[in-house]
Amino acid sequence: MGTGLKRKDLLGIRDLSVEEINLILDTAVSMKEIASRDIKKVPTLRGKTIINLFYEPSTRTRTSFEIAGKWMSADVINISTSSSSVVKGESLKDTGLTLQAMHPDVVVIRHPAAGAPQILAGLLRASIINAGDGAHEHPTQALLDLFTIREKRETLAGLKVAIVGDILHSRVARSNMFAMQKMGMQVRVSGPPTMLPRYLDRLGVEVFPRVEPAIADADIIMMLRVQLERMGAGLFPTLREYSKLFGLNLDRLKAAKRDVLIMHPGPINRGVEIAPEVADGPYSLILNQVENGLAIRMALLYLLAGGQAASNN
Amino acid sequence: MRILIEGGRVIDPANNVDDVLDVLIEDRRIAALGPQWPARGGPAPDRVLDARGKVVCPGFVDLHVHLREPGREDMETIATGTRAAARGGFTSVCAMPNTTPVNDNQSVTEFILDRARREGAVNVFPVGAITKGQKGEELAEIGELVGAGCVAISDDGKPVMNAEIMRRALEYASMFAIPVIQHAEDLHMTGTGSMHEGLVSTELGIRGIPAASEAIIVARDILLAELTGSHYHVAHVSTAESIRLIREAKAKGLHVTCEATPHHFAITDEAVRSFSTNTKMSPPLRSSRHVEAVKSALKDGTIDAIATDHAPHTIQDKEVEFDYAANGIIGLETAFGLGMTVLVEGEVLTLNQLIARLTCDPARIFTLPKGTLSEGADADVTILDPTREWVVDVKKFASKSRNSPFHGWKLRGEVLATIVGGKVVWELEG
C-alpha cells in the first residue's frame, strides 16, 4: 500500500500500534502546512469519494472531515441521517449496502451505538473511519489530542494527564485513556463516583473522586462536557453542584502546575465544567485542538485512501 | 408398538441406575429394564435400537423454552421448536407465556396444548403468566390457567417489579402448589444496559447491568417466599450473589429452587468484545467470577436444573447494532454438548450428575411426571454418545432461528436418538 497504513479501517485507537500512531502524527505535521497556504488545495485525493455518515449532530468532527476531504480534492458527501431514509426505519446494514453500491472510497461514521463502525467495516469495501460510536471510541479525537500535546511538549512519555468529567459516557475519555497509555503517559481520571466506570484501576488508570488531587501535579488537564440528560438519570443533582465540585475555574487552576495545558474536546459548556476565563485563557489549547483535528483527519484520509492513488499510477 | 433399546449403558439418576441394561418400551411406556433380553421371552420387538457403547437415559426436561407461538411464528413455531428440542435430546419442555397474545388465559393455554398435540414433537408443558398481559399490575386468572394445563406461572421476559403483587402471586399460587418463576432483575437498575457491568463494559463503553440488579430481586423474593411459604423459582440465575442467597434460603428450608442456562456456565462477558449480538441476552453474560459460581452451584445442587432459555429471534432482530438487538439466543440443540464439554470434561459434574440436572432434577422441582426410566413411566428416552465430537453448524438446526454464539464450536457429546411416548421422534443419521 505504499506509504499508507496497512489497514482498511480505523475503528478504534486500541487497534493502532505505536508506530501507526506516530506515522499518523508525523503525516499530520505536513498536512497542517496546507492550512496556512493561500490556495488550500492539493490533488492528493482527486477522484476519491468520501461519505460522511453522521447519525449524531457534530460541528467539529464533521466539518473538519469535510474540509479535509475537499482540501485534498476528494468528492465529499455529507449525510445527516435525520434527513435520510434512516427516519423511515432503514437499518444500518441496508444503509451501508446502499452506500456500497455507490462505490465510496471512505465512509466516516458517527453513531450512537458502540460497534456500529464494525458492522460497516465488515460489509463495505470502503475504508471505514470511526468518528465516534456511542461511548466506545473516538479515535481521531485521541489522535488530535496527542498531536496537540506533542506540539507543546516534545516527549509524550511520562506526562501526567487528568481527564475530568463524565468518564462513564465518554468515548473521548476511553480513546484518550487507551492512546495515552500506549504512548507511555500516566492517565488519571476524576469525576463524581456515579460517572466513573468501575475497574478503571485494572486498566492502569488512577481514579480520583475529587478533582483537586487529580489536577495538582498534572501536566495536562482535559475537561469533558457534562450533559444535562445525565442529571435526570440520578448521576448528579444539578449543574450548579457539578460546577462547584468539579468545574475548572481560575481558583482551581491556581493549584495546577505553572505550565499546565488545558484541553477540551468541545463543545464546551461555559461556566459548567470550564470557566470562560479558563477556556479563553493563555493555558487553553482548545482551539489548537480544532485546528489540529483538521490536520489529523487529512493525514488519516491520505494514509487510508491516498496511498493507493500513488501506487496505482 | 414394542421398541427394544439394546445393550446401552442406562443412566437413570432418579433410580440410582448406572448399568448396561436393555430397555423395553411397550405402548408408550417403559415396560421393563433388564439384562440380556430376549431371554425373558414375549413377542419380538417391532424395532431394535442398538445402543451398545452408548448411553441411554431419560429424555431431558427443559424448564424454560420460548416457542414463540402464538404470535411470532416468524421466529419459531411449536412444531419447529419441539423438533429443535428433540434434536437436543429434550422430550419435555415448559413453554414460556410471553407470546402474542400473552398466555394469561385459558384460550391461549388450550391453543398451545392443541398445537403441541397435533404438531409437537415432544411434550409441551405451558407456563402461564403471573399477571394479566404480563404487565405486573393485576394477577392473571391463575386457577383457570392451572386448570387448562399450566404447570407454573411466570412473567418471564420481565420481572414482577411490585413486591406486593409478587407477594400476592406467591400466596395465591400456593393454592395450586405450582412454582412462581421470577425473571429476576430490577428494571430501574438495568435501564438501557445491554451487557454485564464489569471490566469489559468499562472498556467497551456499553452501558452495564450490575450483578446487584438480579440479586436485589432474588433477595426480596426470598423474603416473600419465607413470608408465604410458597414455591419460588429463580429463572436463569447468573450471579454469584444470587446463588449465595439461594444457598442460604435452601439451608433454612425455604421452598426455593432455581435453574441456569448453558451459556451462563460456558461463556463470559469477554465474548461481547466481538460486538456479536449473539452474545446479548437477559440476564447478560457475566464475568468469570460469576461463571465459576454457577458451575460450583450446579455441582453442589444449589442450582437444581439446567434450563436453556431457548430464545429464537429473526435475523433482522439480531443483525443490528448491539444496543438495539433483541435479547436472547437459542439453546436446545447445544445444551447437552456444552454440558458434556464444559461441565463433565471440565470435571465440574460427572456424567450422571449432568444427566440428573437435565432430567429428574427439573422434573422433581416442577412435579412433572417425567425424567425417569422407572417401569411404567412414560417412554421418553434419549440415546447419547458422550464421547462423540461434533462441530456446531447452525444451518443444520431444526430451530427456525440461527441466533447462537456457538456456531463453529467443537463439542463433545452428541444426541443420537430421542424417543417421546414410545415413538422415535429424532435420530441422527449414520
Side-chain angles (χ1 to χ4, degrees), chain B residues 144-168:
Chain B
E144 184 181 275
L145 287 167
V146 172
C150 288
V151 301
I153 51 172
S154 182
D155 275 359
D156 183 64
K158 290 189 284 196
V160 174
M161 284 291 289
N162 184 321
E164 170 65 3
I165 301 282
M166 188 63 186
R167 181 234 169 125
R168 298 305 175 192

Side-chain angles (χ1 to χ4, degrees), chain B residues 57-69:
Chain B
C57 64
F60 302 152
V61 177
D62 192 340
L63 300 179
H64 193 145
V65 171
H66 295 273
L67 295 178
R68 302 300 192 206
E69 190 174 11

Side-chain angles (χ1 to χ4, degrees), chain A residues 14 55 91-93 111-116 118-119 133-136 168-169 174 178 197-200 202-203, chain B residues 196-208 210-211 273-275 277 287 289 315 319-324:
Chain A
R14 265 191 138 174
Y55 280 73
S91 69
L92 177 61
K93 177 177 177 179
H111 194 290
Q118 271 79 349
I119 294 177
D133 64 328
H136 179 223
L168 183 60
H169 296 99
R174 279 183 182 80
F178 300 141
R198 294 163 70 202
Y199 309 109
L200 281 175
R202 291 208 215 152
L203 296 175
Chain B
H196 173 64
E197 184 186 282
L199 178 59
V200 180
S201 70
T202 288
E203 290 184 51
L204 296 183
I206 292 180
R207 183 75 186 266
R273 287 184 192 277
S274 62
F275 289 111
T277 57
S287 61
R289 173 172 81 87
I315 292 175
E319 217 173 43
V320 293
E321 299 86 317
F322 193 85
D323 281 335
Y324 308 158

Side-chain angles (χ1 to χ4, degrees), chain B residues 36-47:
Chain B
Q36 292 154 353
W37 210 281
R40 287 188 54 173
D46 301 285
R47 186 164 174 195

